[in-house]
Amino acid sequence: MSATLASTTVESHADSETLIVFPNGLVGQPDWKRFVLMTPEEDGTIQVLQSVEQAELALMVTNPMQIIANYSVPLSREERAVLQLEADEQPTVLCTISIHSNLITTNLVGPLVVNSRNGLGTQVVVLDSPYSTRHPVAALGAQE
Amino acid sequence: MLVLTRKPEQSLRLGDTITVTVLAIEGDRVKLGIEAPRTVSVLRQELFVQIQAANAAAAAAVQPNLSDVAAVLRRQAPTIAGAPTP
């Protein structure tokens, strides 16, 4: 299926696109609530959260464990309750990607945590994180 | 900006459920105590602004860079021990 992604048409490789709802929006962006998680690349290396409310709003996200193998996000009881996670359920964690001076960086301090069963999500701020909001991943256009 | 002056031990009430108390003044630092529902996030302003800016930067980056970023990430292997950001 294809959908308009921030004015570019993108083929999504997922069978269906998952609706993700952040009831409280994202940090500093309280209106950014309803997204579809799209998988434009076959191997899912990178995904895109496309807003279903604002056509021009989309975020590149990736699984942080592709970058830091043992990355994990401790969740408080309140955070688990917002996501309606069952006691034995583990959430999906996605970190946003941005580009600074031709460097791909990811925000490891403010991961997006999603209950894949019901699509509820929240942005968690890791207060004692050893990482940064611009953790370097690779140079854009880096050659092997 | 609303400006109020408080002495140590005095408080402010925000809305019906949030109380900010000046616990102590130590040199050039003010120690504040915050009582708020656990559904209300309380963050140091600098951290809030950093995350907010990172979200905005992620939104700005997707359009020109998507397939290039995917190609680079595909070649990347995860670090073993997760070295903290320098």
Side-chain angles (χ1 to χ4, degrees), chain A residues 3 14-15 25 27 36 38 44 54 61 68 70-73 88 90 97 107 111-112 120 124 127 133 137 143:
Chain A
D15 288 328
V27 171
V36 162
M38 299 174 67
Q54 308 171 50
V61 293
I68 304 287
N70 62 359
Y71 183 83
S72 69
V73 182
D88 56 349
Q90 291 305 316
I97 283 185
N107 178 3
L112 307 180
L120 287 174
V124 171
L127 294 178
T133 54
V137 177
Q143 297 304 313

Side-chain angles (χ1 to χ4, degrees), chain B residues 11-34:
Chain B
S11 298
L12 297 171
R13 177 66 64 107
L14 283 65
D16 293 322
T17 59
I18 300 169
T19 303
V20 179
T21 303
V22 178
L23 295 175
I25 300 171
E26 296 153 4
D28 63 352
R29 284 178 173 33
V30 178
K31 188 183 287 187
L32 298 170
I34 297 107

Side-chain angles (χ1 to χ4, degrees), chain A residues 6 8 41 43 123 135 137 142, chain B residues 55 63 74-76 82 85:
Chain A
T8 300
E41 302 286 320
D43 60 1
Q123 183 165 33
H135 183 85
V137 177
Chain B
N55 287 337
Q63 174 61 7
R74 198 168 287 127
R75 291 193 290 268
Q76 191 85 354
T85 311

Side-chain angles (χ1 to χ4, degrees), chain A residues 5 18-20 22 26 34-40 47-52 57-61 94 96 112 114, chain B residues 62:
Chain A
L5 166 68
T18 316
L19 182 69
I20 312 263
F22 296 90
L26 299 192
R34 299 172 66 83
F35 294 85
V36 162
L37 184 61
M38 299 174 67
T39 307
Q47 292 179 290
V48 176
L49 277 176
Q50 168 67 54
S51 169
V52 298
L57 171 60
L59 308 170
M60 278 191 289
V61 293
L94 299 168
T96 61
L112 307 180
V114 177
Chain B
V62 66

